[in-house]
Amino acid sequence: MKISVIGCGYLGAVHAAGMAEIGHEVVGIDVDADKVARLNRAEAPFYEPGFDELLAKNASGLHFSTDMADLASAQVHFLTVGTPQSPSGAADMTYVNQATEALLPYLSEDSLVVGKSTVPVGTAKRLWEMIEPTGAKLMWNPEFLREGFAVQDTLAPDRLVYGINEGDDDLVGVLDQVYKPIIERETPRLVMDFATAELVKVAANSFLATKISFINAMAEISDQVGADVTMLADAIGHDSRIGRKFLNAGIGFGGGCLPKDIRGFVQRAHELGVGNAVAFLGDVDEINMRRRTRVLDVLSEELGDLSGVTVALWGLAFKPDSDDIRDSPALDIAENLARAGAHVRAYDPEAMGPARARLTQSGLGDNITLVEGATDALEGARALVVATEWKAFREFDPAGAQPSLVVDGRNCLDRDSWKAAGWRYRGMGRS
């Protein structure tokens, strides 16, 4: 089957390569000519484990273009454009609207449009009304990619969600053909109405964000009373109703999904007149943002005035196995330290390029030095902050460096090993 993927950012590029991997002819459309050229050379425009190999392996079945006319012969069109946060907190639908408008001239009664972008509930119905005069049909098929696991989540998802309009049950078979190898592995497939399918993604992200902020709230209390939040999480995680996943206290969540999605969900709920139903998400967001300042509080408690103090920072990406710095707690901490007068020596295995570009824009680059390795970051530092839990940082031998203060922002280090090596250890909700 010939498939088009409109929008070749993180979601779209991985989805396009994944669809080629399971046997389809795929054309990816994007307005960014440089990105399109790189993808056509099988060069990933971002870091994602396994993605370069997937692109190269399927280069013969993949073509990327800036010309919408190149998708004219495709039967199924995936909408995968971004929905960034607007100043009001709502999802900015500009790119979804533009992509749909640009697609309309190429649609016919044999076409199926499949929305994958994270959108406010009610969007699918509105887009269906735009598409319906062409004779084409619309389905909503939300994505559930985790950065660092995107290839795995595309090729072996834990579920498939199909949103359909009333009376369009025959479309299920079409999307089943697209996902045939995945369906044949007995992947759970849930068919529902548009509104429910749209809510699945934001509800899932809101739940995960709530779980993270809950354990971070417990970390604040643990710091106050001298408890150990990691042992607390282990204990409550044994309850099968709760589970241990996403109960890792630290400096909070970031990235292009969770913060944006919960804020957009709150805004949409207010527009629908049911804002009180998700008012608690405001507290979830507040707790999360507060965690980013906790590191500075700990450093001040230990070192006093931070002006002129050199601090090593390990991590700039919002999570390991990614170069994504969107809403990154690590990069926020670097910038806040610089504003406090500290000099930061920072290193990240993959996010140096994106971080350098942001620091140029922020004007804080003079106080933040990006170095070539984890050991280089420690040079002259009175403290080390671990802000992204890369494997290389978790496995670093603390005995191989001059001991000082380590602030474990992700509670990812072997506390006993660092203490035994002479380091003063401070964790998040543990000491």
Side-chain angles (χ1 to χ4, degrees):
M1 189 182 297
K2 184 170 182 180
I3 289 171
S4 79
V5 177
I6 305 165
C8 294
Y10 183 83
L11 163 62
V14 176
H15 189 70
M19 294 302 96
E21 171 71 12
I22 62 176
H24 300 294
E25 178 186 355
V26 183
V27 57
I29 304 294
D30 199 277
V31 297
D32 187 332
D34 179 64
K35 183 194 298 178
V36 163
R38 292 185 64 182
L39 287 166
N40 277 325
R41 295 194 299 268
E43 296 177 6
F46 48 82
Y47 176 74
E48 175 63 33
F51 181 49
D52 291 84
E53 294 83 356
L54 192 68
L55 272 178
K57 179 182 177 183
N58 293 285
S60 62
L62 272 171
H63 173 64
F64 296 91
S65 174
T66 58
D67 187 354
M68 289 289 283
D70 286 349
L71 57 65
S73 59
Q75 179 184 350
V76 177
H77 306 279
F78 285 96
L79 284 175
T80 57
V81 293
T83 54
Q85 182 179 319
S86 68
S88 70
D92 184 346
M93 298 301 294
T94 301
Y95 304 117
V96 170
N97 296 337
Q98 290 176 345
T100 305
E101 289 282 359
L103 177 61
L104 292 178
Y106 304 99
L107 297 179
S108 69
E109 61 183 13
D110 296 322
S111 304
L112 174 62
V113 180
V114 183
K116 291 195 74 68
S117 302
T118 302
V119 297
V121 61
T123 300
K125 187 67 174 178
R126 179 175 62 81
L127 296 183
W128 178 86
E129 291 171 352
M130 293 173 61
I131 290 167
E132 196 270 338
T134 69
K137 300 293 186 179
L138 176 72
M139 296 181 71
W140 212 260
N141 174 222
E143 57 87 13
F144 303 101
L145 302 190
R146 300 165 296 164
E147 292 197 36
F149 300 91
V151 172
Q152 172 187 324
D153 290 344
T154 298
L155 298 176
D158 54 15
R159 79 282 208 193
L160 293 168
V161 171
Y162 295 1
I164 61 172
N165 198 34
E166 185 177 356
D168 283 343
D169 300 67
D170 57 314
L171 299 180
V172 171
V174 179
L175 202 50
D176 279 352
Q177 278 299 115
V178 173
Y179 290 132
K180 184 177 179 181
I182 297 171
I183 293 286
E184 288 177 343
R185 291 197 298 271
E186 299 185 353
T187 302
R189 186 203 64 190
L190 298 90
V191 181
M192 57 197 68
D193 57 84
F194 280 157
T196 306
E198 290 168 312
L199 283 171
V200 169
K201 176 62 185 294
V202 291
N205 278 353
S206 295
F207 185 85
L208 295 176
T210 300
K211 199 169 182 181
I212 296 168
S213 282
F214 170 82
I215 201 62
N216 278 326
M218 296 304 101
E220 294 183 7
I221 296 171
S222 295
D223 274 332
Q224 186 66 27
V225 302
D228 187 323
V229 74
T230 300
M231 296 183 71
L232 171 66
D234 289 342
I236 66 175
H238 279 288
D239 187 326
S240 61
R241 298 168 299 174
I242 297 173
R244 184 61 176 84
K245 291 183 178 180
F246 283 81
L247 284 180
N248 296 313
I251 54 175
F253 56 81
C257 291
L258 261 62
K260 171 184 74 73
D261 289 353
I262 64 172
R263 293 164 192 161
F265 195 16
V266 169
Q267 182 66 25
R268 182 56 175 153
H270 279 293
E271 292 170 357
L272 295 169
V274 288
N276 287 341
V278 291
F280 71 94
L281 290 177
D283 293 328
V284 167
D285 195 14
E286 182 181 346
I287 291 168
N288 185 59
M289 298 307 294
R290 194 162 65 230
R291 298 307 294 166
R292 305 182 186 201
T293 64
R294 178 58 185 157
V295 168
L296 271 70
D297 293 341
V298 171
L299 289 170
S300 297
E301 291 169 11
E302 294 282 346
L303 304 177
D305 183 5
L306 297 178
S307 181
V309 173
T310 298
V311 177
L313 183 76
W314 285 357
L316 293 165
F318 88 95
K319 67 177 292 186
D321 297 318
S322 173
D323 63 354
D324 195 343
I325 61 167
R326 290 177 295 174
D327 212 342
S328 169
L331 196 47
D332 274 4
I333 288 169
E335 293 179 336
N336 287 336
L337 282 167
R339 293 187 185 99
H343 181 70
V344 181
R345 294 178 61 81
Y347 170 71
D348 188 283
E350 294 292 341
M352 303 290 271
R356 186 172 286 110
R358 173 165 148 177
L359 293 175
T360 299
Q361 294 176 346
S362 71
L364 294 169
D366 290 345
N367 274 27
I368 302 174
T369 302
L370 302 183
V371 299
E372 295 300 316
T375 303
D376 293 337
L378 297 173
E379 186 177 324
R382 289 183 58 193
L384 163 65
V385 174
V386 181
T388 311
E389 63 272 36
W390 285 91
K391 181 179 180 181
F393 303 157
R394 299 195 310 268
E395 296 181 350
F396 184 86
D397 182 2
Q402 181 65 36
S404 58
L405 167 68
V406 58
V407 180
D408 186 0
R410 294 297 185 180
N411 288 348
C412 63
L413 303 179
D414 183 332
R415 175 178 57 183
D416 293 340
S417 295
W418 283 76
K419 285 185 172 182
W423 291 75
R424 262 185 4 267
Y425 177 93
R426 290 289 301 271
M428 300 289 102
R430 66 199 298 247
S431 58

